Amino acid sequence: MTIFKNKTDLIAYVDTIKSNNKTLGFVPTMGALHDGHASLIIEGLKQNDFVAVSIFVNPTQFDKQEDLVKYPRTLDSDVGLLSKISEDEIIVYAPTVEDIYGDNVVSTSFSYDGLEHEMEGKFRDGHFDGVGTIVKRLFEIVRPDNSYFGEKDFQQLMIIKKLVEKYDIPVKVNGCKIHRAEDGLAMSSRNMRLKPEYRNAAPFIYKTLKSAKEKFETKSANKVTEWVSKQFAKHELLELEYFIIADAETLKAVKRKSNKSSYRAFIAVYADDIRLIDNIALN
Ligand code: PAF
């Protein structure tokens, strides 16, 4: 497996891929890879000759310094997992902060036509500016034909689609289904930091989303939201940060249901000091 630590070498390698008329998929990650990432890479390999995987804990998308410091960094085991998928068709880009940002570790300010002000945008100051900055920069360096993002971060996926549209970046953005553990917990690099009792409690999040979906067939968004709040108020370990039923395109909270719109329920929950997010399509 070819591992690049700096962009100059990676750019030269991608040049050879392109001059040989081969296609390139791209899965950007912050490492601590799990089966969810693997499913994105496998999808990428089905549709492209090569897949580039970036492993970079992006400092500008963390609103809390403490989260950045605690974020798991597991490059050796990440490379081990990637080797099991494919030795020859995966290219790893694991840059330093300097290779990406030079000595100016700041994010650009983006407008995503309001998508950035909903949900995560309300709770994580500057997060989507940081995500836009790194993803745009990675797209410029890697120059993929296709890119793959998990629907677990559905708002991020919508924002990246908007970024690509606004800046006319020549890459297709593919959203991939949420990969779940057997007990329903959405796969996330943060899960490995959960203490056992919180890990055992966490599937309650998806269980509640599934019940919310059922209730939404006959009840209003307000009633379902109240019901979800009550379930978490009774829970001893999990603390609800938000639950919202939103239009799947605008991400704005639903006021009145219409048959013509697609809806999704979004949730953020604290399990001890670990913040978990999830979502589900409602219709
Ligand atoms: O979803 C993530 O892991 C990150 O936000 C991303 C897209 C790799 C950008 O750092």
Side-chain angles (χ1 to χ4, degrees):
M1 171 155 334
T2 325
I3 302 172
F4 295 95
K5 294 270 180 186
N6 73 70
K7 58 177 175 291
T8 315
D9 295 343
L10 177 77
I11 288 170
Y13 195 84
V14 171
D15 283 346
T16 52
I17 292 180
K18 294 203 172 275
S19 61
N20 286 322
N21 286 325
K22 302 282 184 201
T23 54
L24 182 60
F26 179 41
V27 179
T29 82
M30 298 209 295
L33 301 183
H34 49 69
D35 288 353
H37 294 114
S39 70
L40 301 181
I41 296 161
I42 290 165
E43 189 56 30
L45 286 171
K46 282 189 203 149
Q47 297 177 10
N48 303 274
D49 297 305
F50 295 95
V51 169
V53 178
S54 62
I55 297 179
F56 179 65
V57 182
N58 173 36
T60 63
Q61 71 187 76
F62 286 82
D63 55 335
K64 292 187 191 134
Q65 181 65 16
E66 186 196 339
D67 285 349
L68 170 62
V69 172
K70 282 191 187 158
Y71 204 86
R73 288 156 173 89
T74 56
L75 185 59
D76 289 348
S77 61
D78 290 347
V79 172
L81 181 141
L82 295 174
S83 317
K84 283 193 201 132
I85 302 174
S86 169
E87 276 287 344
D88 305 328
E89 294 154 323
I90 295 176
I91 301 148
V92 179
Y93 177 42
T96 57
V97 172
E98 207 198 347
D99 194 51
I100 294 285
Y101 286 102
D103 56 9
N104 196 21
V105 189
V106 289
S107 50
T108 311
S109 184
F110 291 98
S111 156
Y112 307 101
D113 294 349
L115 293 173
E116 72 276 26
H117 301 310
E118 307 301 326
M119 301 178 298
E120 293 296 287
K122 294 199 170 103
F123 292 91
R124 302 181 71 188
D125 200 23
H127 173 68
F128 289 121
D129 281 339
V131 170
T133 304
I134 185 61
V135 173
K136 184 165 177 288
R137 212 158 279 190
L138 289 169
F139 279 159
E140 285 158 3
I141 296 169
V142 178
R143 294 161 289 149
D145 302 290
N146 293 294
S147 60
Y148 301 85
F149 294 84
E151 285 185 347
K152 183 179 80 67
D153 298 298
F154 191 85
Q155 187 175 11
Q156 168 174 279
L157 169 65
M158 298 294 285
I159 277 179
I160 286 161
K161 284 186 174 168
K162 183 64 76 182
L163 177 85
V164 162
E165 180 195 308
K166 281 201 149 184
Y167 288 86
D168 209 8
I169 305 172
V171 58
K172 182 165 184 238
V173 178
N174 298 281
C176 301
K177 289 223 151 50
I178 301 176
H179 206 78
R180 297 185 180 279
E182 262 179 33
D183 58 14
L185 178 64
M187 295 259 178
S188 163
S189 304
R190 291 163 185 239
N191 295 354
M192 68 170 72
R193 288 179 48 217
L194 289 168
K195 290 182 196 137
E197 54 186 317
Y198 288 94
R199 174 62 190 81
N200 290 338
F204 182 76
I205 300 168
Y206 183 51
K207 200 171 150 234
T208 309
L209 281 181
K210 283 193 294 184
S211 305
K213 178 178 173 138
E214 252 176 62
K215 291 190 185 296
F216 189 64
E217 283 170 19
T218 53
K219 294 189 178 2
S220 70
N222 270 347
K223 287 270 173 246
V224 178
T225 307
E226 271 170 31
W227 178 82
V228 170
S229 296
K230 279 187 192 147
Q231 305 315 300
F232 279 92
K234 285 188 275 184
H235 201 286
E236 284 175 2
L237 291 176
L238 303 176
E239 193 188 320
L240 182 66
E241 184 170 57
Y242 67 76
F243 171 84
I244 176 172
I245 295 182
D247 182 297
E249 299 245 318
T250 63
L251 304 185
K252 290 205 180 303
V254 177
K255 295 210 171 85
R256 191 172 300 165
K257 274 198 252 183
S258 135
N259 290 338
K260 291 184 200 126
S261 302
S262 297
Y263 298 116
R264 259 183 127 90
F266 296 87
I267 194 164
V269 169
Y270 272 97
D272 202 7
D273 59 340
I274 317 281
R275 189 170 181 276
L276 302 171
I277 61 170
D278 201 348
N279 66 83
I280 193 167
L282 297 178
N283 58 343

